[in-house]
Amino acid sequence: MECEGHGTAEHDLSEPMPQWNADQPPTTGLLVQIKSLRDRIRALSSGEGAEETEGVLQALDRVDQAAHLVVCEHAGMADELLGLYDQLGAVFDITRQLPTVMDEPQVKALFARTMTATYNRHLVAFAQPGAGGWQLESLGGDVARLQGSRWVAEFLDRVAAQEIVVVEPSDGPTRKDGIVEVLAAPVVCHGELIMVALVVRDARGDELRAADMNLADVLCAYCADLIANFRLHHQLRQVSVDLVRSLVATVDQKDPYTSGHSIRVGFYATQLGRDLGLNREELQMLEWSALLHDVGKIGIRDEVLKKPGKLTEEEFAHIKEHPVRSYEVVRRVPQLAGALDGIRHHHERFDGSGYPDGLAGRNIPLQARIVQVADIFDALTSSRSYRTAFDWRKAINIIEDEAGTTVDPELAAVFARFIRGRCEGKSDEAWQALFGEAEAMLLKEPEDAAKKDATEV
Ligand SMILES: [Fe+2]
Ligand SMILES: [Fe+2]
């Protein structure tokens, strides 16, 4: 905002005093009033009595200068307020979209979208450090001239991990690129440079102000915090996963025939849950539930667990204790409360003849009905002490035959569609690949159905 200058022109006494204008800021109006009054007095004093009015004029000049300063300060304050408003708007925008953000790349993408929208009158680019130098990207902007600019590369090297800066290139060749000014804001997470956001002003662009630097600073800090949170979350999850993996391996090793069983059940169950449209949190709990469903077998006597022949009534009753034993182990961990249904009820049957509680139909929690289908499928397609593994086709046929008696018919149909979709009409390698994918599933973050749909669009 430009400030009103000090005028000294003679004022026509017949002209009325200017009135306050509703569209004009009052401070600016004050300047006009003072200027007008001073001009009138100066005009009056041009004749007789000039000496008497000199003191009044000097006092008015001082008032005028003070008022002028006030107007300029107001203009600065208005700029500052607008800058704060922009910061709030951008931060609010990011916060509003946070529930849709699942991982670090999505944080970066959200940051890039917000920066690009905020500085929409400039070219916004993002530089990522790589083995071969800086990789520049932009959402729709032309970064070719930046990519080829020696000055930009050198500038980025200097900016890396340093404080946010605005630099006007002074060398001739850069000006030929049309770059007048560059604001560079690094995103630094725990000392690691993640990327540098560049706001590039060409000759037609608005001058970059202090408020623009502040805004970029706030957005970069927010982005770095979010990335730090996701990394921490990932590390904590990895610790939990490693702990569960060793616990599950201990159980599976009790019986070499069931080695890898829990991990594969976790994979099949989350695939089925995904096809049923479960959200991310439900999938996460389903995964834990499936992984830990047989953990209670650790308390089952070895000679019963590994017995190749028919079990006695007492032995069968003992083995049937394992869902409740699993439940008793896992319920000590409050964070896994959402996984308990599938653990306790994975041996219930749809017709009500299962155990431990004899639940039937939809009274069996959905999580348990899902784990049950995955559990049966893996048991059928794995070798046991009393038989070799069934072919996947036979296993699916058996599950379909059991629809309505053992398993939920709707879930049986969805699962059969998933397995056939992956393996039907393909060589046995497709089945082997699926089996291998199942064993590697613990390394992955769960995806919910909404994310799957978004990815596939
Ligand atoms: Fe079981
Ligand atoms: Fe099982």
Side-chain angles (χ1 to χ4, degrees), residues 26 59 101 103 117-118 122 127 143 162 190 201 249 270 275-276 289 300 314 323 333 380 383 405 429:
V101 172
D103 52 29
T118 305
H122 300 90
V143 289
Q162 301 299 311
H190 295 313
R201 176 190 162 213
T270 47
D275 285 352
L276 290 168
S289 185
I300 304 299
E314 183 279 326
V333 185
L380 291 171
S383 293
T405 51
E429 282 172 14

Side-chain angles (χ1 to χ4, degrees), residues 293-294 322 346-347 375:
H293 74 284
D294 277 342
H322 82 270
H346 73 273
H347 281 292
D375 189 29

